[in-house]
Amino acid sequence: MLARTAGDLFWLARYMERADYVARLLQVAGHMNAVRVDTNRSSEWESALVAAGCEEGFKEAGRSADEAGVIHFLAFDRANPSSIVNCIEIARRNARSVRTTLTTEMWEAVNQTSQELADFTVEAPLDADRLAEFLDWVKARVGLFHGVCSNGMLRRDSFCFIRTGQFLERADNTARLLDVKYHVQLPEVADVGGVVDYYQWLAILRVVGARRAYRVLFKGRVQPAHVAELLISRAVFPRSLAFCYEQITQHLDAIQAQDTQLAVDARRQAHVMYAQLRFARIDQVIEDGLHEYLTDVIDRTRDLGARIAQGHLF
């Protein structure tokens, strides 16, 4: 496979997954903001910027970190490379360049998503109901793309590069989404473990579609340690870090022609990460600092993405 084709497939999947993540990030910020009792603070929206890695770009734009400003920047601002609008449009450009490699259904899923995007972007700003509809639409369209990919694509290198990109992006996003809770400031120190804290953790579960999975695995009241365990080391949940790295290792191993040292190093790093996540002791992680742990995962995931790109020459 040409390196350029591999790179376009890899980034097509990453940008589609990133659009889904930003939609979920805005939802979790909205849910957390809804249970805040101190209306003078906006740390939920500030935390969304940090978790999206867009804090510096937002500051350079000179906007206020309020609800309307953050939503526009993360969803519709074309000056933000990671906005939902840009993610979908970049994904379409990548899909068009490798159109002959994709199935008809995959191309139509991306192309139609790009076309329907105009129905939402013509309104500015969207009201609450319309925004909720838009975010749900983004998640549904990304789910459709990955679904037709899974059901119709040959299990060859092209499929492996798409899946590697998808789950590498999802691993990064899951770590960032879980880390949102670190950046959200509770009204008082005494509120830790209280009602607001409880509903904020519940909001994270809700947005990643993990409420039922949590009840099945842990039962009882939502506890931070159990939420962290579910999203870090429980490979049975498809958005956990362990599951993502399990998929990354499987698809990297399946790619043919991996004779460069950089490609071998990338595979080795992925396997090391998977083993560490799969057998992580959550009590030790929390004791050492959940935020520090997640920051390390994010950094190592970014490094792995660079190694994969270098190893396969794209």
Side-chain angles (χ1 to χ4, degrees):
M1 174 179 287
L2 293 175
R4 179 178 177 181
T5 300
D8 286 341
L9 292 169
F10 179 82
W11 283 105
L12 162 62
R14 290 201 67 166
Y15 275 109
M16 290 298 286
E17 188 69 23
R18 188 173 301 177
D20 175 88
Y21 164 67
V22 175
R24 293 176 184 275
L25 184 62
L26 288 172
Q27 286 184 326
V28 76
H31 292 320
M32 287 183 175
N33 186 66
V35 298
R36 173 169 289 282
V37 295
D38 183 355
T39 57
N40 294 322
R41 305 190 68 93
S42 58
S43 65
E44 289 80 6
W45 302 107
E46 294 168 1
S47 72
L49 292 171
V50 174
C54 299
E55 188 179 23
E56 290 186 7
F58 187 83
K59 289 180 178 179
E60 291 175 0
R63 293 191 177 91
S64 174
D66 55 12
E67 180 176 357
V70 172
I71 289 174
H72 175 75
F73 186 75
L74 292 182
F76 304 110
D77 197 333
R78 296 183 184 279
N80 173 18
S82 294
S83 69
I84 293 174
V85 168
N86 276 337
C87 285
I88 292 175
E89 292 187 349
I90 294 172
R92 184 187 181 278
R93 289 201 295 270
N94 284 329
R96 185 173 57 186
S97 67
V98 292
R99 186 171 177 178
T100 56
T101 306
L102 306 177
T103 65
T104 301
E105 292 79 6
M106 289 175 67
W107 163 249
E108 289 178 349
V110 178
N111 190 48
Q112 187 175 354
T113 299
S114 179
Q115 292 174 348
E116 292 180 3
L117 186 62
D119 295 337
F120 294 97
T121 55
V122 293
E123 300 179 29
L126 301 180
D127 59 35
D129 291 339
R130 188 68 169 156
L131 177 63
E133 179 185 349
F134 170 68
L135 297 178
D136 286 337
W137 172 82
V138 172
K139 294 192 299 181
R141 297 303 303 183
V142 174
L144 173 64
F145 169 77
H146 289 311
V148 295
C149 173
S150 178
N151 290 328
M153 201 169 188
L154 291 174
R155 268 45 176 178
R156 302 177 70 178
D157 283 357
S158 54
F159 178 81
C160 292
F161 277 112
I162 285 179
R163 282 297 193 241
T164 300
Q166 175 191 353
F167 287 105
L168 189 73
E169 185 68 27
R170 182 176 293 184
D172 179 84
N173 295 343
T174 295
R176 291 178 181 275
L177 194 59
L178 184 55
D179 201 34
V180 167
K181 190 65 181 68
Y182 171 82
H183 297 285
V184 174
Q185 300 173 11
L186 291 168
E188 303 290 344
V189 175
D191 289 319
V192 175
V195 174
V196 175
D197 193 36
Y198 169 80
Y199 279 106
Q200 288 178 347
W201 284 108
L202 188 62
I204 292 176
L205 290 176
R206 178 181 177 183
V207 170
V208 298
R211 292 178 65 182
R212 180 175 177 80
Y214 184 93
R215 289 198 298 268
V216 169
L217 293 174
F218 299 106
K219 303 178 177 61
R221 181 182 175 87
V222 173
Q223 299 181 29
H226 288 164
V227 176
E229 181 179 343
L230 175 64
L231 295 182
I232 291 175
S233 63
R234 290 293 186 120
V236 292
F237 181 61
R239 288 191 175 274
S240 71
L241 293 172
F243 180 88
C244 290
Y245 267 92
E246 180 181 49
Q247 295 298 307
I248 292 169
T249 56
Q250 289 178 3
H251 289 105
L252 284 178
D253 287 346
I255 293 173
Q256 303 297 319
Q258 298 191 88
D259 53 352
T260 68
Q261 186 60 46
L262 286 173
V264 173
D265 289 344
R267 291 173 57 198
R268 182 181 295 112
Q269 180 178 342
H271 278 276
V272 170
M273 283 288 293
Y274 171 59
Q276 292 176 346
L277 290 164
R278 182 68 182 85
F279 299 104
R281 292 183 52 188
I282 300 303
D283 55 344
Q284 189 65 50
V285 168
I286 293 177
E287 182 179 340
D288 294 340
L290 179 60
H291 169 66
E292 289 73 17
Y293 180 85
L294 294 172
T295 299
D296 180 64
V297 170
I298 293 169
D299 290 341
R300 294 171 68 184
T301 299
R302 181 174 57 247
D303 180 63
L304 176 60
R307 287 175 180 266
I308 291 172
Q310 293 170 356
H312 297 282
L313 307 177
F314 59 80

